[in-house]
Amino acid sequence: MADLGCSSGPNIFLIISQVIDSIHGICQQAQFQVPEIRVFLNDLPGNDFNAIFQSVPGFFERLNKAKGKMVEPCSIVGVPGSFYGRLFPTRSLHFIHSFNCLHWLSKVPAGLKDTNKGNICITKSSPGSVIKAFAKQFETDFSAFLSSRSQELMPGGQMLLLFQGRHSQNRWTDDCIFALLGQALVDLVSEELVKEADVDNFNLPLYKPWKGELYEIIEREGWFGVGRMEISEVDWVPRDKDDAEFQSGHYLSNIVRAVSEQMISRHFGDAVTDSLFIKYATNVEDHLRHQNNGKLLNFLVSLTRK
Ligand SMILES: C[S@@+](CC[C@H](N)C(=O)[O-])C[C@H]1O[C@@H](n2cnc3c(N)ncnc32)[C@H](O)[C@@H]1O
């Protein structure tokens, strides 16, 4: 199996455990021998693969304790590279998992200089030409993703993908975690900590597709059948975090910082990031006070290689 866009946090071992549990369960029921499992962990070359590898012995120890001595070995392999191109040998995989990744494009579309003023992602005020350019980039990237995976998966192999999307073709909201980050940058312009031109020339490589777009691309590429597509709203801040000490703004700011800091500091410089994420936390706190809680739209898609 492969986990694409695995990052270097503990979620990696959660998904591997779940897959191993399922395989063990099925094999026990059918009285099959448990197969050898090889897990390929992919992310961009800058990912902290060393941190993952250092956690592997502890993971195996926990697994062996939980399952008794494992019957067959499981090996874990790092694969640096972009999932928008080929990563694995032909027909070498049975299962591909990718969570929280595919709304990130391979790049910001070219030619957007000064066109999405005051925004760093698509919002209600973004011009049609900007939306079109992002949609085109998503189409190119998602097609390349499907084409590469179609060659790497065995016939009958499965993919489980989770990523952010939007409700309908023409519904863009400002109620987006990253739109609020754009607003925090605009606030820093008025405090003269950031240049207006720098905000106008910056876009995140982010695109949230709607259902129709996905079906169209999957059908046109033709390699995969759609098993299930589930769409669910997820609270920005988990509901159970309601003790008096808990600060929603701070909580969300840390998450958004982990995902976007590198891109932000590359464009705006390191000096601005602390002020930006403090401002962002305050803005989020204000936003949530008025909105109760923000929502993300998650698409869970299962695809089978024909
Ligand atoms: C929000 S993290 C998700 C991490 C993990 N899958 C999870 O759900 O906790 C997104 C990850 O996707 C990776 N990523 C983004 N674009 C990628 C690409 N083109 N190829 C491989 N990984 C990519 C990022 O480096 C980052 O680690």
Side-chain angles (χ1 to χ4, degrees):
M1 66 166 281
D3 187 14
L4 307 187
C6 62
S7 193
S8 51
N11 284 356
I12 294 173
F13 296 108
L14 202 68
I15 174 67
I16 302 176
S17 301
Q18 283 172 354
V19 170
I20 290 178
D21 273 353
S22 303
I23 293 175
H24 274 237
I26 292 166
C27 289
Q28 231 164 29
Q29 228 175 22
Q31 298 191 329
F32 287 155
Q33 173 155 10
V34 177
E36 277 185 30
I37 299 166
R38 182 163 304 155
V39 183
F40 295 99
L41 299 177
N42 154 260
D43 206 290
L44 293 168
N47 187 50
D48 192 352
F49 284 96
N50 281 337
I52 306 176
F53 297 148
Q54 277 159 20
S55 312
V56 167
F59 168 67
F60 283 147
E61 221 169 274
R62 291 194 301 279
L63 200 66
N64 283 340
K65 232 182 233 166
K67 301 234 158 287
K69 201 83 198 129
M70 280 176 63
V71 189
E72 290 294 336
C74 164
S75 59
I76 294 186
V77 180
V79 182
S82 171
F83 51 53
Y84 290 124
R86 282 291 299 272
L87 292 166
F88 308 103
T90 305
R91 296 183 176 209
S92 59
L93 295 171
H94 292 96
F95 180 61
I96 292 176
H97 170 273
S98 178
F99 268 31
N100 298 311
C101 296
L102 283 168
H103 47 271
W104 292 108
L105 302 172
S106 64
K107 58 177 186 184
V108 173
L112 292 189
K113 195 163 185 276
D114 275 343
T115 49
N116 198 21
K117 280 177 182 279
N119 296 312
I120 62 166
C121 58
I122 299 176
T123 70
K124 272 196 283 201
S125 62
S126 299
S129 58
V130 170
I131 298 174
K132 225 171 160 178
F134 271 96
K136 183 91 196 100
Q137 186 63 50
F138 177 79
E139 191 184 326
T140 304
D141 285 346
F142 193 52
S143 300
F145 178 87
L146 292 177
S147 162
S148 298
R149 302 299 82 77
S150 74
Q151 296 169 65
E152 297 161 352
L153 266 174
M154 308 278 275
Q158 305 264 332
M159 279 209 283
L160 190 64
L161 312 174
L162 178 96
F163 48 90
Q164 291 178 33
R166 69 185 194 275
H167 280 283
S168 60
Q169 189 163 18
N170 297 316
R171 190 167 150 202
W172 294 96
T173 66
D174 291 342
D175 182 25
C176 158
I177 287 179
F178 290 100
L180 289 185
L181 188 62
Q183 276 169 27
L185 278 163
V186 170
D187 291 345
L188 294 193
V189 170
S190 50
E191 292 175 24
E192 297 186 358
L193 290 171
V194 166
K195 289 191 199 127
E196 188 174 4
D198 283 350
V199 178
D200 291 344
N201 285 326
F202 178 73
N203 285 290
L204 290 166
L206 176 72
Y207 184 79
K208 299 180 180 187
W210 75 289
K211 200 169 69 175
E213 251 169 327
L214 290 173
Y215 273 113
E216 201 182 302
I217 300 170
I218 294 166
E219 266 166 35
R220 197 188 46 226
E221 290 299 314
W223 307 105
F224 292 94
V226 180
R228 265 160 75 173
M229 191 179 299
E230 287 176 18
I231 301 176
S232 54
E233 284 192 326
V234 181
D235 291 327
W236 284 5
V237 178
R239 298 263 172 201
D240 57 357
K241 299 209 182 293
D242 56 1
D243 60 276
E245 299 288 296
F246 181 74
Q247 292 175 314
S248 312
H250 188 63
Y251 168 86
L252 211 61
S253 181
N254 280 343
I255 293 177
V256 169
R257 186 171 186 159
V259 175
S260 61
E261 180 168 5
Q262 249 188 13
M263 293 179 266
I264 296 283
S265 59
R266 210 178 299 137
H267 185 83
F268 295 97
D270 288 333
V272 79
T273 48
D274 283 342
S275 322
L276 173 65
F277 287 100
I278 290 169
K279 171 68 72 187
Y280 177 69
T282 313
N283 290 3
V284 168
E285 202 78 43
D286 273 358
H287 181 87
L288 293 181
R289 206 167 296 129
H290 294 113
Q291 298 279 326
N292 193 18
N293 202 344
K295 302 266 188 205
L296 289 177
L297 200 66
N298 266 344
F299 283 33
L300 182 70
V301 185
S302 91
L303 299 173
T304 304
R305 175 72 170 95
K306 289 178 185 165

